[in-house]
Amino acid sequence: MFDNIIDRKNSSCSKYDNLEQYFGKTDLDPFWVADMDFEIPPFLQEAIQKRAQHNVFGYGKQNKEIFEAIKNWMSSQHQWDIDTASISLCNGVVPAYAACIEAFSNVDDEIIVQTPVYFPLFQCIKANNRRILENPLKEDNGYYTMDLEHLKSIITPKTKMIALCSPHNPVGRVWDKKELEELANICIENNITIVSDEIHADLTFKKFTPIASISEKIANITVTLNSPGKTFNIAGLNASYCITLNDELKNKLDDIIKQRVIGTINVFGLIAMQCAYEHGTKWLENLLNYLESNIDITIETLKNNTKIKVQKPEATYLLWLNFEEYNLPHQKIKEILLNDCKVALNDGLSFGKNGKSHFRFNTATSKIYLKKGLNKIINFAK
């Protein structure tokens, strides 16, 4: 099913239908927005279509089975045993992240981000009148690690929260247990709340560790954000949740979720989340095999035909392409990709200053379409 070519144009789809708005062109092949060009699993289609046949789409009910499905998925996929009482539903990971900012910090407080990183984090911090505190990742030949010495040096009494991206978008790291423990110990010592965006946790090619699963002390300062949106390609249904084992933190967060009125998920989102987590294990295994094959094809093609440098990710279907070897200004690289190659990629500078000369490439599409895009990119600067 992953080889099927789906025409997504004119389907109210941001990835294809927003090209002119974001790039000023419509004649581009899009490899930017982080969703997949794959159909959702058949069992998920059937569940949604069955509900749609009812023809009345009123408010949805948060059944206990949904919370049980989340709990069981965390246990089976990530060996993390949680109680359903620790789960708060939310209509998106980004809205949940914004709610955490309000719940665990005050105006003009500092929020740490580890750049390059998913750009809506910056937007949420600014929109909530907090200050961005950048802790750039260290890079060695395309492989990124946390700079914890730098982190310790920038913390002030106004540093209240760190936005952990785990697995990391866009660099594709799956942080190992030791890295996470060292980071958490710094946060414990400085009374900093960890808000861990783990939306790509299922899309990993090595063992993933939820940071809150490591110890009770770490769980006590952590809020975990997650969703089946990336895993099962249902991001448009806005079905997400927070896991908070510390009752005090959970009460603060729940209060803000209520104030912002972001705790209600539409009826299709509720059905999809429960169904995906109850029946999605085998489909996910097949998806990961296909994604890894696409990633390998992309890396081999770029390595053999271009000067673009890329490290194989440990998670996600996103590749962090490095164009530095071309010795071109960042804007020029962008112009060539748009005007000559005719492909739409995410601009690396949107992920932070250390995204210069980098662009994010989405490999989650059919192999035919992927190879079409790669054939355009390999003509870069020729």
Side-chain angles (χ1 to χ4, degrees):
M1 66 176 292
F2 302 117
D3 277 325
N4 293 341
I5 299 176
I6 312 299
D7 185 1
R8 299 183 64 191
K9 293 179 181 177
N10 302 314
S11 64
S12 297
C13 161
S14 179
K15 186 176 183 180
Y16 285 79
D17 296 335
N18 272 344
L19 287 171
E20 185 168 15
Q21 177 181 344
Y22 285 95
F23 297 96
K25 295 174 172 289
T26 58
D27 60 339
L28 304 173
D29 284 323
F31 296 92
W32 60 305
V33 174
D35 66 14
M36 302 186 288
D37 286 338
F38 308 136
E39 295 175 301
I40 62 174
F43 60 83
L44 205 49
Q45 288 181 329
E46 291 170 9
I48 293 172
Q49 288 169 355
K50 180 180 178 180
R51 179 61 183 85
Q53 288 172 0
H54 188 279
N55 289 333
V56 177
F57 309 136
Y59 296 111
K61 179 184 177 183
Q62 297 183 3
N63 295 316
K64 65 178 182 180
E65 289 82 5
I66 294 169
F67 294 88
E68 288 292 335
I70 295 170
K71 173 185 174 180
N72 293 337
W73 186 262
M74 287 297 129
S75 178
S76 64
Q77 295 297 313
H78 306 299
Q79 296 72 56
W80 185 23
D81 294 324
I82 62 171
D83 192 283
T84 56
S86 68
I87 302 169
S88 308
L89 299 188
C90 188
N91 62 8
V93 164
V94 173
Y97 173 69
C100 287
I101 292 174
E102 185 172 354
F104 309 128
S105 67
N106 296 310
V107 171
D108 288 331
D109 280 343
E110 299 162 344
I111 312 294
I112 300 166
V113 293
Q114 296 177 301
T115 55
V117 74
Y118 181 55
F119 46 84
L121 302 187
F122 302 119
Q123 298 165 358
C124 287
I125 295 170
K126 293 176 181 177
N128 284 277
N129 298 310
R130 272 63 166 177
R131 299 181 184 277
I132 297 170
L133 200 58
E134 290 195 36
N135 172 222
L137 299 174
K138 294 191 293 186
E139 185 261 337
D140 181 12
N141 197 30
Y143 188 78
Y144 287 80
T145 55
M146 296 186 193
D147 191 342
L148 298 180
E149 290 304 313
H150 176 265
L151 174 62
K152 288 187 282 188
S153 74
I154 61 174
I155 292 172
T156 77
K158 294 187 74 64
T159 309
K160 303 299 183 183
M161 187 180 124
I162 182 168
L164 176 64
C165 198
S166 178
H168 194 90
N169 171 14
V171 307
R173 273 300 316 278
V174 173
W175 308 116
D176 60 44
K177 185 177 178 180
K178 184 175 183 293
E179 288 174 297
L180 293 172
E181 283 183 305
E182 290 176 352
L183 173 70
N185 287 335
I186 294 170
C187 293
I188 290 169
E189 291 168 7
N190 292 277
N191 196 29
I192 295 171
T193 302
I194 300 170
V195 177
S196 185
D197 172 1
E198 300 185 0
I199 196 170
H200 290 100
D202 300 325
L203 302 175
T204 59
F205 308 110
K206 61 177 286 189
K207 178 174 172 52
F208 170 79
T209 302
I211 189 170
S213 72
I214 296 175
S215 72
E216 184 177 349
K217 286 180 65 177
I218 296 174
N220 206 42
I221 63 162
T222 301
V223 177
T224 301
L225 312 181
N226 212 326
S227 166
K230 299 296 184 187
T231 309
F232 296 97
N233 208 30
I234 53 173
L237 296 183
N238 292 342
S240 303
Y241 54 92
C242 315
I243 301 173
T244 317
L245 278 64
N246 179 318
D247 288 342
E248 182 181 352
L249 292 184
K250 186 174 187 298
N251 289 337
K252 287 182 179 180
L253 177 57
D254 285 347
D255 285 344
I256 300 301
I257 288 175
K258 290 175 184 176
Q259 289 174 25
R260 293 192 172 202
V261 199
I262 57 173
T264 302
I265 298 173
N266 71 73
V267 64
F268 294 108
L270 292 170
I271 289 170
M273 180 153 59
Q274 180 182 338
C275 183
Y277 281 164
E278 288 180 343
H279 305 290
T281 302
K282 184 60 180 178
W283 186 87
L284 175 58
E285 291 175 4
N286 294 332
L287 171 67
L288 288 172
N289 288 333
Y290 194 90
L291 290 177
E292 188 164 23
S293 173
N294 276 10
I295 289 168
D296 289 340
I297 289 170
T298 302
I299 292 174
E300 182 179 7
T301 300
L302 295 178
K303 180 180 179 181
N304 293 337
N305 297 280
T306 75
K307 294 191 289 185
I308 299 168
K309 295 190 293 185
V310 58
Q311 176 82 21
K312 184 171 183 178
E314 298 169 338
T316 83
Y317 43 75
L318 306 166
L319 296 186
W320 189 232
L321 307 186
N322 181 347
F323 289 77
E324 289 176 342
E325 290 294 314
Y326 287 97
N327 293 314
L328 293 171
H330 182 89
Q331 184 60 30
K332 183 62 176 178
I333 298 169
K334 186 174 181 178
E335 290 172 1
I336 293 174
L337 289 170
L338 290 175
N339 300 325
D340 299 340
C341 300
K342 299 290 186 181
V343 292
L345 310 185
N346 287 103
D347 188 332
L349 283 177
S350 67
F351 298 86
K353 295 187 292 291
N354 49 350
K356 182 180 179 182
S357 299
H358 290 73
F359 289 80
R360 193 184 73 172
F361 180 79
N362 182 346
T363 67
T365 190
S366 67
K367 283 182 169 52
I368 291 175
Y369 192 75
L370 175 68
K371 290 174 181 177
K372 177 188 176 186
L374 291 173
N375 284 335
K376 290 185 171 187
I377 292 175
I378 62 177
N379 290 314
F380 184 89
K382 283 187 177 179

